Amino acid sequence: MADLLANLNDRQLAAVTLPPQHALILAGAGSGKTRVLTTRIAWLLATGQVGPAGILAVTFTNKSAREMVTRLTAMLPLDARRIWIGTFHGLCNRMLRAHHQDAGLPASFQILDSQDQLGAVKRVLRALNVDDEKYPPRQVQWFINNAKEQGLRASSLEAPTAYDQRMAELYAAYDEQCRREGVVDFAELLLRSFELLQAQPALCNHYQSRFRHLLVDEFQDTNTLQYRWIRLLAGPGAAVFAVGDDDQSIYAFRGANVGNMAAFERDFQTPNLIRLEQNYRSFGHILDCANELIQRNANRLGKQLWTEAGVGEPVRVREALSDQDEAQWIVEEVRSLVRDGWMRADIALLYRSNAQSRVLEHALFAAGMPYRVYGGLRFFERAEIKHALAYLRLIENPADDGAFLRVVNFPTRGIGARSIEQLQDAARARGCSLYEAAKAMGGRLAAFVALMDALQNDSLRLELPELVEQVTERSQLLAHYTAERDGEERIDNLRELVNAAIAFLGDPPAEDSDAPLSLLAAFLAHASLESGENQAGEGTDALQLMTVHSAKGLEFNAVFVTGLEEGLFPHENSANEPSGLEEERRLMYVAMTRARQRLYLSFAQTRLLHGQTRYHLRSRFIDELPDGALKWLTPRNGLRATREGWGGAWESGGNAWRTKGTQQAAQQGAAGVWSGGYGSDGRTAASGAPFRIGQTLKHAKFGEGVVVAYEGTGSDARVQINFGAAGLKWLALAVAKLEPYPDK
């Protein structure tokens, strides 16, 4: 027992050894929450307070679930499969497999991933002759998933407008199609499981009695229905151990409700709230910046990260002339780090949106620097893999019309749209699946039916990997991609699918003994649930590029947070909404706390967006950081000269233009930053102009803005300023009261 609890700090030890009561563990970034969670499970088992079957542990990714199992088996000699450990979707899938009849599902129901679901939505719209411009398929898909995540069926929705009423009708039609085909989407897994427990009190009591300890990781990311599911499973006498960090709740766009943490404290009358504040990842200056930033958010549960590692290096801040300049500087800085012995794989470039990666990638490619875009298409989401899986789905369930439509004419077999329409009409008339209707159609459809019949026979005699290999060959997928000029990677992926089947046989998921499932059906469920990994460049020491959202849960020795400009980060869609701005601030907090040793923050005066050069204010988040923890690599108030360099032409660190300054002095002092005629490289608007383009100013009415253009002379001179939310304004210098943005 002593070994189990060794090396835990006081707060961690207190959390691990809590009595069997509800508890909320407020785990700061880098505070060892996974260790606390797994050690808590091991301690409960080792002390005999509960058996493996009495524990339910919920994570948000398959990777986290696997890591938890690995740690547990290293701590104790036990079969971790007896513990229900998995994602919400994975655990609900397990429950529905065991009770499919009570849930109204076929034993071999298939799971639709996001793309499969979109295809199913499109088929509903076509069948009902719905205008997909008025009701875009992705919007309908979002509407359905959002309703399900709120625990609402179509019949329960409020429909105050004709549009809402039509959307509810489409939701109902989609549900009926899924029922007929025996398929469920991700949101349906949770909703159907919740409805099953609600409708079957005896079954609900069974699970409430079974699971005496419920442990939930990343509790801040739970949505409304997930929280209700946990509440339903937590019976009298059960103890819910919720671990999370409200400061890292960044998935509102996926339905995550940061308010669930406060609701948990209220609803469960939580007697135990423990804050894990000692950070084992980052140095002090990084944590000082993170703490100072996040404390500006309201309604936090509150915590203060600290470390025993020392203050470390200050956080480096740099202003670039342009996005290209920013990218080139990053390339040079990374080269310098690599020369000093840093591994590229331990360096991350973070950005707010995927669109920002283009300039970075271009600079890295031109420099010949290896890089990897993290979070690209996952293995099971690649088109060639989805084609192969569709064949396998149709083998397992011939009634799966979505799978049928995906592969009936891929690779091309000369089965045109008219033939498909006739087939769909015949299937509707007979009330049967497309595959069943195709058996009576003849022609090229008959050849496809014969192929599928043969593959179904193969499935009875072949091992799973052999079946997968047979499908890729007999379906002509391999031949199709071999004929493509750039098909080599797709061929490699199809071959890797065989390896995935072999790996699956070596470690199949746990299933209840009373719910037997064929290996093929289990493999297909695994493929739908599996998060997948980026396979590109394995073994290469490559720089890591990713969005801040993708970086959640990761850590690196050095982190560059790029594009820190108003409208970009924080994003323009959130800046005017308090809740949106607070989530953006949490996102920035997550970005900074990914760094172990060195943190860089960068922004640009100009950025090419949507084909236009944009001028932005630097992000407010930079101005919310403590001065003592920062090291500015460029002048604090922009790429302009210091007092000494400008020969006294500038006051207040270079913000206020004085008449005794001259353009010549400016050129000499600032190495040509002011040179008359402004372009995207950071030069001024016109000789003798009182303000520099890109300079930040303040206006009594419109607030802070950045100069984007200047024209005219003397009393006719005017300046154009981007005031963010207030928009672009032309102001006459003769009457405008403009003040340079002051130092902090």
Side-chain angles (χ1 to χ4, degrees), residues 12 33 51 74 129 131 187 218 368 426 483 498 551 571 703:
Q12 292 173 335
K33 71 175 179 61
N129 294 316
D131 182 356
E218 304 286 7
V498 178
H571 195 274

Side-chain angles (χ1 to χ4, degrees), residues 13-326:
L13 181 63
V16 166
T17 58
L18 280 171
Q21 299 172 322
H22 301 312
L24 179 60
I25 312 302
L26 196 59
S31 63
K33 71 175 179 61
T34 303
R35 183 182 187 188
V36 167
L37 200 61
T38 52
T39 307
R40 169 70 172 177
I41 296 173
W43 183 77
L44 290 171
L45 293 170
T47 55
Q49 297 184 55
V50 67
I55 293 176
L56 177 82
V58 189
T59 69
F60 266 82
T61 67
N62 290 294
K63 179 181 178 181
S64 296
R66 288 192 295 268
E67 181 181 356
M68 193 177 297
V69 169
T70 300
R71 291 194 185 195
L72 272 175
T73 52
M75 292 179 181
L76 294 174
L78 59 86
D79 181 5
R81 290 170 183 256
R82 296 179 60 198
I83 304 175
W84 277 41
I85 297 179
T87 64
F88 279 100
H89 295 125
L91 294 175
C92 288
N93 173 60
R94 184 171 179 176
M95 184 178 290
L96 292 175
R97 296 290 179 188
H99 308 285
H100 63 90
Q101 288 184 326
D102 291 328
L105 292 169
S108 295
F109 69 84
Q110 294 300 306
I111 303 170
L112 303 177
D113 65 15
S114 180
Q115 287 302 311
D116 293 329
Q117 183 191 25
L118 182 61
V121 168
K122 290 178 179 178
R123 287 190 285 117
V124 169
L125 299 182
R126 285 196 297 268
L128 297 178
N129 294 316
V130 173
D131 182 356
D132 61 8
E133 291 189 4
K134 186 175 181 180
Y135 298 92
R138 289 193 182 276
Q139 188 170 330
V140 175
Q141 180 186 30
W142 178 90
F143 178 89
I144 292 170
N145 289 339
N146 183 64
K148 289 185 177 184
E149 288 169 0
Q150 300 299 317
L152 300 173
R153 290 292 181 190
S155 58
S156 304
L157 290 173
E158 293 184 4
T161 67
Y163 182 84
D164 292 330
Q165 187 173 8
R166 185 56 168 160
M167 290 290 272
E169 291 170 354
L170 295 175
Y171 176 10
Y174 167 82
D175 261 2
E176 173 57 26
Q177 176 178 281
C178 289
R179 184 203 61 78
R180 187 172 63 250
E181 296 179 5
V183 297
V184 298
D185 54 52
F186 280 113
E188 182 71 17
L189 284 170
L190 187 63
L191 180 54
R192 187 71 67 101
S193 175
F194 179 78
E195 291 173 339
L196 171 67
L197 294 172
Q198 273 193 321
Q200 302 284 340
L203 185 64
C204 187
N205 289 337
H206 161 74
Y207 281 110
Q208 287 179 341
S209 300
R210 173 177 177 171
F211 298 129
R212 309 308 298 161
H213 288 270
L214 297 87
L215 301 96
V216 187
D217 193 13
E218 304 286 7
F219 196 80
Q220 77 279 352
D221 292 334
T222 54
N223 63 32
T224 299
L225 186 57
Q226 288 164 343
Y227 180 54
R228 292 175 64 190
W229 188 78
I230 290 293
R231 289 189 65 187
L232 189 57
L233 277 176
V240 181
F241 189 86
V243 182
D245 182 2
D246 55 336
D247 291 334
Q248 294 189 75
S249 181
I250 59 173
Y251 295 117
F253 67 96
R254 295 182 186 170
N257 182 2
V258 65
N260 283 348
M261 296 192 74
F264 177 85
E265 195 175 12
R266 179 185 66 248
D267 296 340
F268 285 85
Q269 300 291 303
T270 310
N272 303 294
L273 190 153
I274 295 179
R275 291 174 170 83
L276 304 181
E277 297 173 301
Q278 184 173 358
N279 179 282
Y280 294 92
R281 177 187 301 157
S282 307
F283 282 106
H285 279 320
I286 296 172
L287 298 182
D288 290 344
C289 286
N291 288 329
E292 183 80 11
L293 176 87
I294 202 63
Q295 71 178 4
R296 296 173 182 267
N297 277 3
N299 302 316
R300 297 172 58 232
L301 294 175
K303 65 184 179 309
Q304 190 82 359
L305 297 179
W306 61 275
T307 180
E308 293 180 341
V311 296
E313 301 177 13
V315 174
R316 292 162 167 82
V317 185
R318 185 182 189 274
E319 177 183 13
L321 292 169
S322 65
D323 49 357
Q324 295 93 339
D325 175 42
E326 179 187 47

Side-chain angles (χ1 to χ4, degrees), residues 532-570:
E533 301 293 341
N534 190 328
Q535 306 293 317
E538 289 297 326
T540 302
D541 180 28
L543 193 64
Q544 308 293 306
L545 274 66
M546 66 194 74
T547 64
V548 181
H549 282 102
S550 296
K552 176 74 162 55
L554 304 177
E555 57 185 71
F556 305 90
N557 286 341
V559 169
F560 292 79
V561 186
T562 65
L564 283 167
E565 298 137 34
E566 288 292 303
L568 201 57
F569 197 0

Side-chain angles (χ1 to χ4, degrees), residues 288-610:
D288 290 344
C289 286
N291 288 329
E292 183 80 11
L293 176 87
I294 202 63
Q295 71 178 4
R296 296 173 182 267
N297 277 3
N299 302 316
R300 297 172 58 232
L301 294 175
K303 65 184 179 309
Q304 190 82 359
L305 297 179
W306 61 275
T307 180
E308 293 180 341
V311 296
E313 301 177 13
V315 174
R316 292 162 167 82
V317 185
R318 185 182 189 274
E319 177 183 13
L321 292 169
S322 65
D323 49 357
Q324 295 93 339
D325 175 42
E326 179 187 47
Q328 190 57 45
W329 165 71
I330 290 172
V331 168
E332 296 304 323
E333 192 67 24
V334 170
R335 278 177 170 162
S336 177
L337 290 173
V338 172
R339 283 194 299 268
D340 290 342
W342 295 58
M343 298 290 291
R344 280 185 289 265
D346 287 332
I347 305 171
L349 274 57
L350 307 186
Y351 34 83
R352 176 62 180 83
S353 62
N354 274 309
Q356 292 171 247
S357 73
R358 184 193 65 81
V359 174
L360 296 170
E361 290 189 66
H362 179 77
L364 293 168
F365 178 80
M369 183 174 293
Y371 68 92
R372 182 178 301 114
V373 179
Y374 183 91
L377 276 180
R378 299 167 180 168
F379 180 76
F380 287 113
E381 293 174 340
R382 296 169 185 169
E384 61 275 15
I385 300 302
K386 290 177 70 66
H387 289 318
L389 291 176
Y391 279 102
L392 293 168
R393 283 170 48 192
L394 201 55
I395 291 171
E396 178 62 27
N397 177 17
D400 189 338
D401 286 352
F404 181 97
L405 289 172
R406 185 178 187 96
V407 299
V408 65
N409 196 41
F410 191 89
T412 304
R413 298 182 177 87
I415 302 173
R418 180 58 183 159
S419 297
I420 298 298
E421 289 177 10
Q422 292 174 342
L423 178 62
Q424 290 174 318
D425 290 339
R428 278 193 291 269
R430 294 177 54 189
C432 65
S433 68
L434 294 176
Y435 183 81
E436 193 66 28
K439 291 182 177 180
M441 294 293 286
R444 292 187 172 93
L445 282 169
F448 177 73
V449 169
L451 168 65
M452 294 310 305
D453 285 342
L455 290 173
Q456 285 168 2
N457 289 332
D458 288 341
S459 70
L460 301 176
R461 63 180 181 82
L462 296 177
E463 293 289 338
L464 180 62
E466 295 174 309
L467 176 62
V468 174
E469 187 172 23
Q470 190 80 338
V471 163
T472 61
E473 291 179 358
R474 296 191 62 173
S475 66
Q476 298 298 302
L477 284 173
L478 283 175
H480 172 80
Y481 290 118
T482 299
E484 282 193 351
R485 184 179 62 179
D486 300 319
E488 184 175 345
E489 181 179 342
R490 297 183 185 273
I491 293 170
D492 289 342
N493 287 337
L494 287 172
R495 289 173 176 157
E496 185 61 28
L497 185 61
V498 178
N499 294 339
I502 295 172
F504 176 82
L505 283 184
D507 187 23
E511 293 285 345
D512 281 6
S513 58
D514 58 346
L517 198 63
S518 74
L519 273 176
L520 176 55
F523 177 66
L524 290 169
H526 160 78
S528 294
L529 293 167
E530 178 57 55
S531 64
E533 301 293 341
N534 190 328
Q535 306 293 317
E538 289 297 326
T540 302
D541 180 28
L543 193 64
Q544 308 293 306
L545 274 66
M546 66 194 74
T547 64
V548 181
H549 282 102
S550 296
K552 176 74 162 55
L554 304 177
E555 57 185 71
F556 305 90
N557 286 341
V559 169
F560 292 79
V561 186
T562 65
L564 283 167
E565 298 137 34
E566 288 292 303
L568 201 57
F569 197 0
H571 195 274
E572 59 187 352
N573 292 343
S574 63
N576 296 323
E577 294 291 335
S579 62
L581 182 59
E582 291 203 347
E583 175 137 344
E584 290 290 299
R585 190 174 283 111
R586 292 194 292 269
L587 195 59
M588 180 64 177
Y589 175 86
V590 167
M592 292 193 298
T593 54
R594 300 311 94 197
R596 298 189 190 106
Q597 300 175 37
R598 189 174 289 189
L599 175 62
Y600 297 86
L601 309 177
S602 66
F603 61 100
Q605 291 181 7
T606 67
R607 188 171 299 275
L608 191 63
L609 293 172
H610 312 299

